Amino acid sequence: MSRCYRNFIDREKRTDVLLRIDTIALLRCRQLGLAGSAILVIGGVFAGVPPTRDPLLRAPAFEQLRALTTPAVMCAYVGVSMLLLAWWRLGRLVRRRDAPTTRDLLTTMAWWGAPLLVTMPIFSRDVYSYLAQGTMTVLGIDPYQYGPAALGGPLFLDIPAIWHSTPAPYGPVFLSMAGDVTGITGESTWFGILGMRLLALGGLALLVVSVPRIARSAGVDPGAALWLGLLNPMVLIHVVADAHNDALMLGLMMAGLALALERRPAAGAALVALAALVKAPAGLALVFLVPIWASQLSGATRWLRAALAAGGVGAATVVVTTTVAGTGYGWIGALDTPMLAHTWTSITTDLGYWTGLAAEELGLATGAQMLAAWRMAGLAAAGVICVVLLRRYHRREPVVGLGLGLAAVLALAPVVHPWYLLWAIIPLAAAARSARVRRAVVVTSIVMTVVVLPGGVQPSFDVFLGAALGAGLVFGIAWAARNVDWEKAFASALAAGRQMVQSEPVAIDAKAADDPGGHLGHDRMVPERFARVDVRDVHLDQGGGQQGAGVAEGEGVMGPGAGVEHDRRVFVRSLVEPIEHHVLSVGLTDLDREAQFLADSRAHVGQVGGRGQTVDVGLPRAETAKIRPVEYVYLHDETSR
């Protein structure tokens, strides 16, 4: 076999091993994320927001379990943390040269999302508002004039009180689809939730198709775009589990941008307009679609023509869709409905609230006036930032400009819910090439995934304790598994355990218990197992005569069962300074075998225990003996064996 051929075979073998390792790593990521989703579903049962009429809620045992706030939140956070950990590890695989394929990533997303398809809402009650507004549309009750309170019934009970009398802020596209879902599912809340989840999955399917296409157009790895955008735990938690309609808005918006980048700007503008008729913020994408359209035209007026064309297509789509839906334009006046909520994630609302308190104390203005002023200032500043971003990114990275513009809107918006961040995360994941921007998206995703509490609990010490315990358990185990050498740790623990029952090495003479002139039978002074001495680690020194050793001063055994003590003080040399030892003498029935057993062992003698302590020597047919103080004595080699 030639050297070149052997090298080729070796390379092939190494490649096979690497592929096998990568397959195992990918499988472990899938299994970890799947387990996290399943545990999150279990935690959602006890800390989520199930329907009020659910018969499971009425069971006394279930009510008692839901009252255990800390374990419930801990279970949910164990699942969330496992999902985050699996996502992070998958990202490390995606950054490698032999990264998972697009098909592998989509399969992984299916693994992680499967348990969440059948769960109750966990972090938000918005899906109940969707069902109520869809039912109102079917029944002919104008959702832009009345709130769910006009509907009544069980759906009304599942909606937070703040939204009982508020009109729907969603466009006619979504309300029509919600009406179709409730028209099919009827009064069944569970089937309605599944129907709304199917709508969210439809938006997710549009993202699966469009995000890789936008990534290729922008020069971004499609696998990295899918990992950062669609396998993001925020998508799984808020889109798949909680069925937010933001998925439908983003799916239509990104599909429109993908068509525009593929030189079909008119169709793209129509889809973006439809996305705005789900939720209005998608309308900003129509502005950033203009430079894409203009880049495909020629002439000095291409920008003007592109702007008019995009605006015209968008307006026509809105008019036609609204006419077909028959819902009217009431959604325009209801766009301020979300501002009724006070979320801690809104910078302008927080500033307005606190400065309003100060202004009222000083008599300068009311709290409502200060809140409105800050909110208007925030929106104006966001508009200016979007114009700046449009000028900067219009030529090469308009989708990145859109993502940053939506991020600016979110940073300065009057209200910000965690799932709103997907408006910016998805475009940036698809098109941003800057490592700094992508790192910011990763950090933001992790932080907002962790800080969002399940919807069935209120902030309290018990809730925060459960969250900390759940996250700490998962990440602590992950850190230990990665940084601790368990084989070495086990060996160290075993050695420490042995050290507790052992002592320092010494040489020990086995001598006759009698005087040198006495009998040399079965009377032996044999060191044996003390309170902390392993009998296997004591050896018998066969050294020469006239050597000193520690011998029991008054402990000897005439034979098995005798237990007779003999005074050995006469052997103590008065000119030698006494040195205390703790030695044990025992009688053995089979001297030669036991002595040989000890002679073949190693000596490790340590702390032996207290004086006079009775111990079990641990050898067959050996008597219990006492530990006594000894002094330096003279021994004779003729007694040694």
Side-chain angles (χ1 to χ4, degrees), residues 153-177:
L155 287 175
F156 168 74
L157 300 176
D158 291 323
I159 299 172
I162 191 175
W163 310 121
H164 282 176
S165 301
T166 56
Y170 311 118
V173 170
F174 176 71
L175 289 185
S176 298
M177 291 184 172

Side-chain angles (χ1 to χ4, degrees), residues 158-449:
D158 291 323
I159 299 172
I162 191 175
W163 310 121
H164 282 176
S165 301
T166 56
Y170 311 118
V173 170
F174 176 71
L175 289 185
S176 298
M177 291 184 172
D180 294 337
V181 170
T182 56
I184 296 173
T185 60
E187 297 182 356
S188 173
T189 304
W190 271 111
F191 282 113
I193 292 172
L194 293 177
M196 290 298 171
R197 192 166 284 145
L198 288 177
L199 286 183
L201 291 178
L204 194 58
L206 289 174
L207 290 173
V208 167
V209 174
S210 58
V211 166
R213 292 160 66 178
I214 294 175
R216 293 188 189 96
S217 176
V220 174
D221 176 32
L226 286 175
W227 170 77
L228 184 54
L230 302 190
L231 281 92
N232 195 308
M234 292 188 66
V235 172
L236 296 169
I237 291 172
H238 298 298
V239 170
V240 180
D242 286 353
H244 281 288
N245 59 4
D246 301 75
L248 187 60
M249 178 199 83
L250 287 169
L252 291 169
M253 183 185 79
M254 296 299 286
L257 291 172
L259 289 177
L261 290 170
E262 295 171 354
R263 307 190 68 85
R264 288 180 286 179
L271 286 180
V272 170
L274 291 176
L277 292 178
V278 175
K279 296 188 80 168
L284 183 62
L286 200 61
V287 176
F288 283 86
L289 187 142
V290 171
I292 299 175
W293 202 334
S295 65
Q296 300 169 14
L297 301 175
S298 60
T301 61
R302 64 181 185 277
W303 273 84
L304 177 60
R305 286 183 287 142
L308 292 176
V313 172
T317 303
V318 169
V319 171
V320 172
T321 304
T322 304
T323 302
V324 172
T327 57
Y329 296 92
W331 59 275
I332 298 176
L335 289 177
D336 61 346
T337 295
M339 296 183 187
L340 296 175
H342 181 188
T343 58
W344 63 270
T345 48
S346 172
I347 298 175
T348 55
T349 297
D350 292 338
L351 290 173
Y353 177 78
W354 292 109
T355 57
L357 292 178
E360 286 184 342
E361 289 292 330
L362 298 174
L364 300 177
T366 64
Q369 290 173 336
M370 293 301 297
L371 183 62
W374 275 105
R375 285 177 167 177
M376 290 299 297
L379 292 175
V384 173
I385 293 174
C386 287
V387 171
V388 173
L389 292 171
L390 180 64
R391 290 177 57 86
R392 179 176 179 179
Y393 290 97
H394 70 277
R395 290 186 177 181
R396 295 184 178 181
E397 298 178 309
V399 179
V400 175
L402 170 63
L404 295 176
L406 287 169
V409 170
L410 290 171
L412 300 170
V415 59
V416 180
H417 294 292
W419 51 92
Y420 285 6
L421 271 68
L422 293 174
W423 303 353
I425 288 175
I426 299 297
L428 292 176
R433 289 179 292 180
S434 169
R436 183 171 59 182
V437 171
R438 299 188 77 83
R439 281 195 297 267
V441 172
V442 171
V443 172
T444 302
S445 300
I446 294 173
V447 171
M448 295 308 297
T449 299

